[in-house]
Amino acid sequence: MKVLIVLTSHDTLGDTGKKTGFWLEELAGPYYVFKDAGAEITLASPKGGQPPLDPKSDEPMFQTDLTRRFSADELAKAQLGETVRLDSIDQKDFDTVFYPGGHGPLWDLAEDPNSIRLIESFAAASKPVGLVCHAPGVLRHVTNPDGTPFVQGRYVTGFTNAEEAAVGLTKVVPFLVEDELIKLGAVFSRVKDWGVHTVVDGRLVTGQNPGSSVEAAEALMAAVSLVKTRAA
């Protein structure tokens, strides 16, 4: 199984003067779900090379067994430092794609034409797509072949308005994930703030927040296995 993980290249948190990027738990947890299942993993980002880590996600209170495993994994860190440029990626080389969150994707991946086309190509090929936390926001410009929003009528979740308010960034982010998905016609569901919540709608898998990242990755693996079984 070949898995593509797409990370942000954006490191500036609006005009706050603070840094952002990808959220470590949302990479590390899924990375080992895929790796421990024997998958071949490719990491990509818009600019290639080392993607920016949200420094807050590496603080002690946000660390998990899997983030600590990643931080001690020299091969994983080396791979992270050499992400492939997104514009060089071909959907045909992979079975699925996963997008970790962090606030960074709201600025670059949500507007990146290469990312938009990539997701559309995975959908057209009936390959599962997974996104967690802020990453479902990168679906905002993704469309179906008839031009309608990809998420229209689909069951999804993502970082909620309440969770964004809890971290004090409602007025900083370019858009609110929950509001944007609902505006596009998605059927958005949520649980309590920071609760684990994953939604599977056919070949689309979304997770609500960092704590949902492992569950979302496991659901994505199950979706890939189902596709392969049906194709056999």
Side-chain angles (χ1 to χ4, degrees):
M1 187 181 299
K2 295 185 177 181
V3 178
L4 174 66
I5 298 179
V6 179
L7 295 155
T8 182
S9 292
H10 185 85
D11 69 352
T12 306
L13 190 60
D15 57 4
T16 64
K18 296 179 180 179
K19 292 297 184 181
T20 189
F22 71 90
W23 195 262
L24 182 56
E25 181 180 0
E26 297 169 34
L27 168 62
Y31 182 89
Y32 288 113
V33 168
F34 303 141
K35 185 178 179 65
D36 292 347
E40 180 182 326
I41 302 170
T42 297
L43 303 181
S45 65
K47 294 181 180 179
Q50 178 73 52
L53 170 68
D54 187 317
K56 194 170 186 65
S57 72
D58 202 26
E59 293 178 358
M61 68 178 294
F62 296 116
Q63 291 178 7
T64 67
D65 288 345
L66 292 176
T67 65
R68 286 186 283 271
R69 179 181 172 187
F70 192 93
S71 296
D73 187 335
E74 295 303 325
L75 289 176
K77 290 191 293 183
Q79 186 178 14
L80 179 63
E82 300 176 349
T83 65
V84 179
R85 281 181 59 98
L86 194 57
D87 59 9
S88 71
I89 293 294
D90 190 331
Q91 162 272 129
K92 295 176 183 176
D93 296 329
F94 301 94
D95 296 299
T96 188
V97 61
F98 184 82
Y99 282 70
H103 285 89
L106 299 185
W107 277 274
D108 64 350
L109 291 171
E111 310 299 329
D112 189 295
N114 293 307
S115 176
I116 294 164
R117 284 193 295 268
L118 183 69
I119 295 171
E120 290 173 347
S121 70
F122 270 92
S126 297
K127 295 179 179 178
V129 174
L131 316 95
V132 70
C133 200
H134 287 88
V138 310
L139 299 173
R140 71 186 309 212
H141 297 307
V142 177
T143 61
N144 297 308
D146 63 1
T148 56
F150 176 67
V151 298
Q152 187 176 79
R154 294 180 185 269
Y155 290 85
V156 301
T157 189
F159 204 60
T160 67
N161 291 352
E163 288 167 329
E164 200 68 82
V167 298
L169 295 174
T170 300
K171 302 297 185 182
V172 174
V173 293
F175 63 92
L176 295 171
V177 173
E178 179 178 347
D179 281 356
E180 184 70 14
L181 293 173
I182 291 172
K183 184 180 77 173
L184 293 168
V187 183
F188 189 95
S189 65
R190 67 189 77 76
V191 296
K192 65 181 181 180
D193 290 2
W194 320 118
V196 175
H197 182 50
T198 300
V199 175
V200 179
D201 185 324
R203 296 183 179 91
L204 176 63
V205 177
T206 49
Q208 179 174 316
N209 47 38
S212 307
S213 56
V214 165
E215 184 179 86
E218 291 171 343
L220 186 63
M221 291 290 284
V224 174
S225 295
L226 184 60
V227 169
K228 286 181 173 292
T229 298
R230 288 176 174 173

